[in-house]
Amino acid sequence: MGTAKKAATWIHWFRTGRSRYASTQAKGSVEMMRRLRRLADELGKTIVLVVHDINFASCYSDTIPAMKDGRLVHQGTPEEIMQAAMLYDVYDIDIRIEEIDGNRIGVYFA
């Protein structure tokens, strides 16, 4: 089975599979994002993915389109989007940016 077909089969399983434990879901989410990133790199293809977690987008994307109220308000690289002022403009909350293993991570809490 080819790489693309394996990935498509795995993604279908991930989307339809159910897990009892949040830790398993977190592990599966990270594994899926790593596979998609590797697949895009190996095949030289573009993958369009809707992700509602800005930190996943920051870690695995080349380009992040930032939407607010159904409109595109910003678009750029993770380094460009993962700025406190930019994220405040999108989410209307203060988000502190931390650098972890070379990735810009947004830390937000009440």
Side-chain angles (χ1 to χ4, degrees), residues 33 37 54-61 64 78 100 103-105:
M33 294 301 287
R37 175 76 262 173
I54 191 65
N55 291 324
F56 267 111
S58 174
C59 291
Y60 297 102
S61 300
I64 300 173
I100 301 174
N103 295 304
R104 295 180 63 78
I105 302 296

Side-chain angles (χ1 to χ4, degrees), residues 5-108:
K5 187 165 181 145
K6 285 180 188 176
T9 301
W10 190 87
I11 292 166
H12 175 75
W13 170 84
F14 182 79
R15 290 187 64 227
T16 58
R18 299 283 182 238
S19 175
R20 293 182 184 180
Y21 304 104
S23 63
T24 305
Q25 291 172 347
K27 180 180 178 184
S29 295
V30 169
E31 191 173 312
M32 180 184 69
M33 294 301 287
R34 286 180 178 162
R35 286 180 186 217
L36 288 171
R37 175 76 262 173
R38 187 172 56 247
L39 185 64
D41 292 341
E42 288 175 2
L43 298 178
K45 300 291 183 181
T46 298
I47 295 175
V48 177
L49 182 68
V50 176
V51 177
H52 292 117
D53 184 323
I54 191 65
N55 291 324
F56 267 111
S58 174
C59 291
Y60 297 102
S61 300
D62 295 321
T63 302
I64 300 173
M67 309 274 304
K68 182 176 183 177
D69 299 326
R71 292 185 13 245
L72 179 68
V73 292
H74 299 289
Q75 182 171 326
T77 65
E79 294 77 20
E80 293 167 337
I81 298 296
M82 295 300 288
Q83 303 290 330
M86 182 85 66
L87 294 179
Y88 186 86
D89 189 39
V90 174
Y91 295 106
D92 294 323
I93 61 171
D94 290 319
I95 298 177
R96 186 176 75 232
I97 306 301
E98 298 287 332
E99 182 101 10
I100 301 174
D101 294 333
N103 295 304
R104 295 180 63 78
I105 302 296
V107 178
Y108 47 93

